């Protein structure tokens, strides 16, 4: 048995193709991004080594920090919206009839491409023929906002379809976790006189805390990676008011052909994503020790 | 637990539930109302998209956006299907998706089998490499990948897109497969070894067939991701010949800003395959998405 299942050549045969693929497509490019960040490299001219100049420029680039701020802001809003999703799943998981149907309906936007969602919501936000402003004017609002071209509200306007898109995804995650809480524990607590509120806050929430941690990471890191929807809806505009890290990187590299500087931004994006993941894991593990 | 205790317990629970239901019937009504409103919010934009895909421009620009189309313009669909390469993009999307899904599933099955069922020192480390892939922003790999594909002449070649899809979908696929593989009893392999099977025979003839249900789930999740992918195609493909529906639709819609009927029909075409898959396989999709994320 042991000899057969530790056959070295078989292991190599099974693991190497996939391993090579992720090394070539994911890991080597990550290292190269950091390296290209040290190059003066524009379009088709050959690259030139300039050391840490790009990274130095990055630290003093207000546009970069603005886009980072927007990314983090979207991340914080997404994380806060997890509480709404959690509340909805708590209701769905409390033996309510039709819960299955509801969570399936909520999930539908998640199946669509961000491009389709972006195009659809651009039409919903359309100043004259869109749903929202039509509703607002029919309710007597004189000058309804120009959602996607007003720099003060564009980020908020982009956040709404994000919540819309991901609601069902997080709700099914929480729903699955809540359904895994053993029924006996809840019944025992109910017999001991716990109110539904106490059952939720003292039993269900602590038991699904690990899942909550995972979703915080997904929401925060997912927001840092956010690109498609913003690229299609506003292209980062107006006047960079909805620029995020990924769109700034993409614009620098593939529109302005600043591949060296774009790489530096890409590397910073990677570091921030890994830092966030590490930070949340760290914070939430130390928090868990205090609980129950 | 003895019978009496079990009986008494279910009585108490039933009692509290009756009291609760009498006291909070109104509360339940409010909850249903809220759930219903949320459902409408999630669905209505899509219904609205469907409505304007059937309208003429006069209806879109002259009437309330909530009005039903007076005479449904079904002709919008065949009109856009052959316009602006939408049919070509559609079939590109289909075959990229199918090839990448098959490749991902085969490679992920190999890796998961070797990691969970075979004995070797580096298995934990290699698993870690795959799982960390989940946290990595694909944008950080984009410039080197573009450069690499340019050097090996794979820009404007479907292979660049398919390989990227496969690599970036391996982590989540392996994660879904992992729990399933770990639950397979060891005795099955032992019996195989007793009968003189080689590793390959054990994998292909015994273990792989056992995983068919979870393979179906991962296939659907992969299909959704690949069908909707945008950045890789937008970066690596510039020729209309090789674009996928997501990118093609985006360019097409960008060019025809004013014909809302055509835009609506194009968008509907791009989301219909996923909606149909969802209607047929919603349970698997729901379970798969939950499984793919919770295990992290």
């Amino acid at each position: 048995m042991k000899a057969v299942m530790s056959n070295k050549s078989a292991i190599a045969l099974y693991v190497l193709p996939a391993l090579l693929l992720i090394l070539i497509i994911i890991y080597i490019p990550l290292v190269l991004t950091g390296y290209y960040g040290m190059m003066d490299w524009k379009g088709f001219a050959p690259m030139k080594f300039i050391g840490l100049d790009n990274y130095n420029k990055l630290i003093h680039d207000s546009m970069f920090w603005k886009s980072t701020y927007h990314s983090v802001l979207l991340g914080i809003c997404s994380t806060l919206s997890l509480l709404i999703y959690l509340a909805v799943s708590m209701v769905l998981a409390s033996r309510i009839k039709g819960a299955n149907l509801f969570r399936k309906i909520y999930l539908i936007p998640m199946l669509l491409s961000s491009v389709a969602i972006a195009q659809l919501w651009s039409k919903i936000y359309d100043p004259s023929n869109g749903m929202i402003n039509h509703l607002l004017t029919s309710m007597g609002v004189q000058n309804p906002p120009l959602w996607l071209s007003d720099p003060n509200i564009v980020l908020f306007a982009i956040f709404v379809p994000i919540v819309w898109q991901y609601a069902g995804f997080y709700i099914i995650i929480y729903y699955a976790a809540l359904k895994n809480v053993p029924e006996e524990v809840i019944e025992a607590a109910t017999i001991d006189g716990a109110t539904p509120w106490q059952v939720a806050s003292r039993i269900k929430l602590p038991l699904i805390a690990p899942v909550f941690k995972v979703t915080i990471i997904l929401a925060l890191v997912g927001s840092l990676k956010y690109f498609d929807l913003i690229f299609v809806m506003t292209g980062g505009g107006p006047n960079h008011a909805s620029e995020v890290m990924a769109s700034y990187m993409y614009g620098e590299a593939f529109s302005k052909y600043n591949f060296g500087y774009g790489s530096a931004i890409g590397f910073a994006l990677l570091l921030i994503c890994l830092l966030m993941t590490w930070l949340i894991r760290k914070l939430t593990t130390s928090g868990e020790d205090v609980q129950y | 637990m003895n019978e009496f205790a079990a009986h008494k317990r279910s009585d108490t629970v039933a009692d509290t539930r009756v009291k609760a239901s009498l006291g909070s019937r109104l509360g339940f009504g409010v909850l249903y109302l809220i759930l219903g409103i949320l459902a409408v919010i999630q669905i209505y934009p899509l219904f609205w998209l469907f409505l304007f895909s059937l309208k003429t421009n006069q209806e879109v620009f002259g009437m309330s956006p909530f009005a039903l189309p007076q005479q449904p313009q079904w002709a919008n669909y065949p009109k856009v299907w052959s316009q602006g390469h939408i049919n070509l993009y559609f079939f590109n999307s289909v075959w990229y998706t199918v090839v990448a899904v098959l490749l991902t599933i085969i490679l992920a099955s190999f890796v998961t089998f070797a990691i969970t069922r075979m004995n070797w020192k580096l298995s934990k480390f290699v698993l870690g490499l795959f799982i960390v892939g989940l946290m990595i922003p694909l944008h950080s790999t984009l410039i080197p990948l573009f450069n690499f594909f340019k050097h090996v002449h794979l820009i404007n070649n479907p292979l660049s897109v398919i390989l990227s899809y496969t690599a970036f979908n391996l982590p989540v696929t392996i994660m879904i497969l992992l729990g399933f593989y770990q639950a397979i009893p060891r005795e099955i392999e032992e019996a195989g070894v007793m009968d003189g099977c080689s590793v390959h025979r054990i994998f292909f003839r015994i273990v792989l067939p056992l995983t068919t249900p979870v393979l179906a789930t991962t296939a659907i999740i992969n299909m959704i991701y690949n069908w909707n992918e945008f950045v890789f195609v937008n970066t690596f493909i510039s020729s209309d010949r090789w674009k996928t529906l997501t990118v093609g639709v985006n360019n097409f819609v960008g060019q025809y800003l004013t014909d809302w009927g055509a835009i609506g029909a194009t968008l509907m075409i791009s989301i219909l395959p996923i909606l149909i898959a969802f209607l047929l396989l919603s349970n698997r999709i729901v379970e798969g998405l939950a499984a793919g994320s919770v295990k992290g």
Side-chain angles (χ1 to χ4, degrees):
Chain A
M1 171 76 182
K2 204 151 184 261
V4 177
M5 297 314 270
S6 26
N7 179 338
K8 286 262 159 39
S9 62
I11 291 169
L13 189 69
Y14 288 167
V15 175
L16 282 183
L19 193 61
L20 278 177
L21 190 67
I22 63 161
L23 286 179
I24 293 172
I25 305 285
I26 302 181
Y27 287 101
I28 294 173
L30 286 182
V31 177
L32 283 177
T33 295
Y35 173 68
Y36 288 165
M38 293 187 263
M39 298 288 160
D40 180 19
W41 175 25
K42 291 197 174 71
F44 296 96
M47 32 176 127
K48 202 178 104 206
F49 186 81
I50 51 167
L52 293 176
D53 283 8
N54 279 331
Y55 293 101
N56 195 29
K57 180 178 161 198
L58 194 69
I59 291 173
H60 299 100
D61 180 357
S62 64
M63 204 47 247
F64 170 72
W65 291 113
K66 196 172 163 188
S67 67
T68 310
Y69 168 71
H70 291 156
S71 291
V72 172
L73 200 64
L74 285 178
I76 291 170
C77 292
S78 300
T79 309
L80 289 178
S81 60
L82 292 179
L83 295 173
I84 305 171
Y85 305 145
L86 182 64
V88 175
S89 354
M90 286 236 160
V91 172
L92 283 182
S94 62
R95 295 200 185 112
I96 209 159
K97 270 190 198 149
N100 214 14
L101 181 68
F102 277 122
R103 71 188 178 127
K104 280 177 194 166
I105 292 176
Y106 297 158
L107 187 68
I108 291 177
M110 164 77 192
L111 308 171
L112 314 180
S113 67
S114 295
V115 170
I117 289 174
Q119 296 289 3
L120 169 60
W121 278 82
S122 303
K123 298 287 171 278
I124 291 176
Y125 281 131
D126 190 276
S128 43
N129 310 302
M131 257 187 338
I132 295 184
N133 279 5
H134 186 85
L135 264 181
L136 288 176
T137 38
S138 64
M139 279 170 9
V141 177
Q142 290 298 325
N143 288 310
L146 301 167
W147 300 98
L148 296 177
S149 39
D150 183 339
N152 295 314
I153 49 177
V154 62
L155 213 55
F156 164 77
I158 280 173
F159 181 61
V160 173
I162 295 178
V163 173
W164 182 77
Q165 181 178 12
Y166 287 103
F169 177 64
Y170 290 110
I171 287 172
I172 62 161
I173 294 177
Y174 292 144
Y175 183 88
L178 287 167
K179 280 289 167 189
N180 275 337
V181 173
E183 200 69 17
E184 301 89 62
V185 180
I186 297 167
E187 290 203 351
T190 318
I191 290 168
D192 290 344
T195 61
W197 175 253
Q198 282 170 327
V199 171
S201 63
R202 305 277 177 85
I203 296 172
K204 289 183 180 171
L205 283 186
L207 281 175
I208 68 160
V211 174
F212 198 65
K213 179 169 87 180
V214 172
T215 54
I216 292 176
I217 295 175
L218 283 178
L220 249 177
V221 176
S223 304
L224 297 178
K225 297 192 252 183
Y226 228 81
F227 176 75
D228 301 8
L229 187 108
I230 294 173
F231 182 75
V232 174
M233 270 179 111
T234 65
N239 193 22
H240 300 293
S242 61
E243 198 81 81
V244 290
M245 276 190 282
S247 67
Y248 188 47
M249 180 237 108
Y250 201 88
E252 284 293 318
F254 296 101
S255 312
K256 295 188 188 166
Y257 300 107
N258 290 330
F259 286 108
Y261 193 53
S263 297
I265 303 170
F267 195 64
L269 171 65
L270 172 72
L271 291 184
I272 294 174
C273 279
L274 294 180
L275 182 77
M276 283 284 181
T277 311
W278 178 79
L279 207 65
I280 298 161
R281 282 200 191 277
K282 188 103 183 148
L283 287 176
T284 45
T285 15
S286 62
E288 257 166 1
D289 298 338
V290 191
Q291 286 171 355
Y292 306 87
Chain B
M1 188 189 298
N2 65 44
E3 253 174 60
F4 173 71
H7 185 67
K8 187 156 190 277
R9 204 175 94 164
S10 64
D11 265 356
T12 350
V13 173
D15 272 359
T16 46
R17 225 182 286 164
V18 170
K19 275 182 215 152
S21 74
L22 285 174
S24 62
R25 194 159 286 172
L26 188 73
F28 263 98
V30 173
L31 284 183
Y32 269 109
L33 189 68
I34 294 172
L35 292 176
I37 291 171
L38 286 178
V40 171
I41 293 174
Q42 292 302 97
I43 286 289
Y44 190 77
L46 283 181
F47 182 64
W48 186 67
L49 172 68
F50 178 63
L51 285 188
F52 80 65
S53 78
L54 298 177
K55 288 184 180 180
T56 62
N57 253 359
Q58 286 92 326
E59 287 174 85
V60 170
F61 297 113
M63 298 170 65
S64 158
F66 296 96
L68 295 174
Q70 287 167 325
Q71 268 201 322
Q73 304 290 312
W74 294 105
N76 281 340
Y77 284 81
K79 192 179 87 188
V80 297
W81 175 250
S82 49
Q83 254 180 35
H85 306 300
I86 296 297
N87 48 0
L88 178 66
Y89 301 150
F90 187 94
F91 290 114
N92 281 344
S93 273
V94 171
W95 77 263
Y96 291 10
T97 300
V98 170
V99 174
V101 168
L102 289 178
L103 199 58
T104 312
I105 287 179
I106 293 169
L107 291 179
S109 296
F110 275 151
V111 171
T112 317
F113 176 72
I115 284 174
T116 55
R117 316 303 290 189
M118 300 183 74
N119 316 305
W120 45 297
K121 274 189 203 143
L122 286 172
S123 65
K124 281 259 158 62
F125 172 73
V126 170
L127 177 64
L129 272 184
F130 280 102
I131 299 302
V132 169
L134 277 175
M135 284 302 135
I136 285 167
L138 69 89
H139 306 94
S140 298
T141 65
L142 215 50
I143 296 170
L145 273 183
F146 177 75
N147 197 36
F148 169 68
F149 287 134
K150 207 173 75 184
H151 277 285
V152 293
H153 302 289
L154 287 180
I155 292 293
N156 277 328
N157 184 321
L159 204 57
S160 58
V161 173
I162 289 170
L163 289 179
S164 306
Y165 286 2
T166 307
F168 274 92
N169 281 337
L170 276 173
V172 72
T173 310
I174 289 174
M175 236 166 64
I176 300 175
L177 293 180
L178 211 55
F180 200 91
Y181 268 83
Q182 275 158 349
I184 299 174
R186 289 267 166 209
E187 286 76 24
I188 289 181
E189 283 146 28
E190 275 165 23
V193 175
M194 294 294 184
D195 290 345
C197 287
S198 67
V199 192
H200 309 301
R201 222 179 147 80
I202 291 176
F203 175 67
F204 282 104
R205 289 296 169 84
I206 304 175
V207 177
L208 194 61
L210 279 176
T211 63
T212 333
V214 74
L215 287 186
T217 303
T218 54
I220 296 160
I221 303 298
N222 269 289
M223 176 199 142
I224 295 171
Y225 289 159
N226 294 346
W227 185 266
N228 291 334
E229 205 283 330
F230 174 75
V231 182
F232 284 133
V233 185
N234 197 46
T235 312
F236 302 150
I237 307 286
S238 56
S239 138
D240 276 329
R241 174 68 191 86
W242 301 114
K243 273 179 195 161
T244 61
L245 202 51
T246 333
V247 172
V249 159
N250 193 45
N251 299 349
F252 183 73
V253 169
Q255 285 162 16
Y256 296 84
L257 279 169
T258 47
D259 190 350
W260 280 38
I263 291 169
T266 317
L267 290 175
M268 281 304 293
I269 290 174
S270 81
I271 64 181
L272 272 176
I274 294 289
L275 286 183
I276 292 169
F278 184 68
L279 287 178
L280 297 176
L281 305 157
S282 54
N283 278 330
R284 270 198 198 289
I285 294 178
V286 169
E287 301 316 327
L289 282 173
S293 42
V294 173
K295 280 176 193 142

